[in-house]
Amino acid sequence: MVHQSSALYMRIRHYVFDLLAGTGNSVVKLPSNREIARKFGVSQPTVVKALQELVREGYLTIRPGVGAFSNPDRFTHDSKLWGIVLGDGRWSQFSRETLHVINSVGMALLEHDHRNLLKLITMGETMDDERGWPELSMLSGICWWIPTDPLLPSMARIARTIPVVLLGDRKPGFDCFFRDFENENCEIARRMIADGCRRLVLVLPEMEQAAAIRGVEKACREAGCEFPPGCVLQADTASQRDLERMVDLHCCPDGIIFNRKPNDFIPIILSRPELARCRIYCDSGWIDKQWPFHGYSGEIGFDTVAPMIAALLHNGLSLTEPKQRPIPVKLEPLVPQEIRIGEERQELNAAKASPC
């Protein structure tokens, strides 16, 4: 109950603060405590607690018998506030990849002016508000990471007034930076085939699934290899059983391309000796120091596209047709940490033993 009350208090605080940040140089009266309490389904004392904190910090002034008013002197009006929306706007847990995206895009936006600020936007509180999104009125633009279809209508309305750029997938009507799984998978499949792999398995991404399959098929056709439909897996328990069945039927893959997090497949690969020499490909953001597999990793070029995203947002609404741009991926050989340390020790010992 304590955690729930604290969460409600913080939601009200953020809501009111965002309203104040969009008031500019004008003194604006806040909605009454009763209206705010009704909006969030809380008691008026909870609202009073949130407002008192803002009064102490100088963002609000109270006129007895009249109400609470914004204090324009507390805000910097020559700066810009940029928004980051994650997924469906309700994410509360971040992966290393997501933090990398926030950092890359955020730094690119803030480098234009040290007075600018970055805000992580929670869309859940405004989705059903047909009157608009007052929490977003102060924003100069939004970068949307991993766009989801249910939020598209709302974001399209927001994009009428401020620029919105999508990152991670492509959607019609928006400037997008998307994963080009077709070319990415074609290149990694070519490398695996050149390494001697002939039985490849693909674990599909959440989006662009047809393109992901086409990439592997193209590389296999070029090399005269077969890539049957049964080698295309989803990230579910049925596909995990399919992988185990391949091993049992002596059709063990010698290369697996992961277009999504491989977590659920790792115990299977580690438990089956037949897969010990299998080459693995996945994003570098999903690899930690305990990674035990050989293969390749893909360094997703968020740092490369971040300045382009910042330029689009800073330049305002585009007068041309929205463009869809692929995110570059750099492929690197992947060597397990313990093997790499062992090789470094061997090189050191050889250098010590050398008569030179």
Side-chain angles (χ1 to χ4, degrees), residues 142-144 147-149 151-160 162-167 169-178 312-313 317-318 320-325:
I142 291 176
C143 176
W144 186 11
T148 59
D149 288 339
L151 196 55
L152 279 174
S154 298
M155 200 62 77
R157 279 181 281 176
I158 294 171
R160 296 172 189 168
I162 59 174
V164 177
V165 177
L166 276 54
L167 177 59
D169 196 6
R170 47 184 162 183
K171 302 292 182 181
F174 292 91
D175 280 292
C176 307
F177 292 83
F178 68 97
L312 283 171
L313 294 175
L317 292 170
S318 174
T320 61
E321 285 295 318
K323 295 182 179 180
Q324 298 177 345
R325 306 164 180 84

Side-chain angles (χ1 to χ4, degrees), residues 84 95 135 138 141 158-159 165 167 184 194 222 234 251 305 315 345:
I84 299 285
S95 65
E135 292 88 343
M138 87 300 286
I158 294 171
V165 177
L167 177 59
E184 180 181 336
E222 293 174 352
Q234 298 282 349
C251 298
V305 301
N315 291 336
R345 287 174 179 169

Side-chain angles (χ1 to χ4, degrees), residues 108-125:
L109 286 166
L110 301 181
E111 283 175 350
H112 280 255
D113 192 324
H114 72 278
R115 295 167 297 183
N116 292 348
L117 299 171
L118 191 71
K119 179 176 176 60
L120 190 63
I121 303 298
T122 302
M123 300 296 297
E125 298 172 11

Side-chain angles (χ1 to χ4, degrees), residues 89-121:
R90 303 167 190 261
W91 288 14
S92 58
Q93 297 178 345
F94 307 144
S95 65
R96 187 171 66 179
E97 183 183 39
T98 300
L99 291 174
H100 185 190
V101 168
I102 295 173
N103 182 68
S104 299
V105 176
M107 290 303 297
L109 286 166
L110 301 181
E111 283 175 350
H112 280 255
D113 192 324
H114 72 278
R115 295 167 297 183
N116 292 348
L117 299 171
L118 191 71
K119 179 176 176 60
L120 190 63
I121 303 298

Side-chain angles (χ1 to χ4, degrees), residues 176-251:
C176 307
F177 292 83
F178 68 97
R179 286 287 298 276
D180 187 356
F181 285 108
E182 181 170 354
N183 285 329
E184 180 181 336
N185 284 354
C186 185
E187 178 60 25
I188 189 60
R190 284 170 178 163
R191 293 200 184 191
M192 285 186 168
I193 291 171
D195 291 337
C197 299
R198 288 296 182 270
R199 293 186 297 275
L200 301 182
V201 165
L202 170 64
V203 181
L204 290 171
E206 295 182 13
M207 69 287 289
E208 303 284 340
Q209 294 189 351
I213 296 172
R214 287 196 301 268
V216 181
E217 288 178 336
K218 180 180 179 180
C220 289
R221 282 197 306 269
E222 293 174 352
C225 301
E226 183 183 5
F227 184 62
C231 291
V232 178
L233 305 180
Q234 298 282 349
D236 53 29
T237 54
S239 290
Q240 294 163 31
R241 288 195 296 269
D242 288 340
L243 178 59
E244 293 186 306
R245 193 175 299 115
M246 291 179 197
V247 177
D248 294 335
L249 295 175
H250 305 290
C251 298

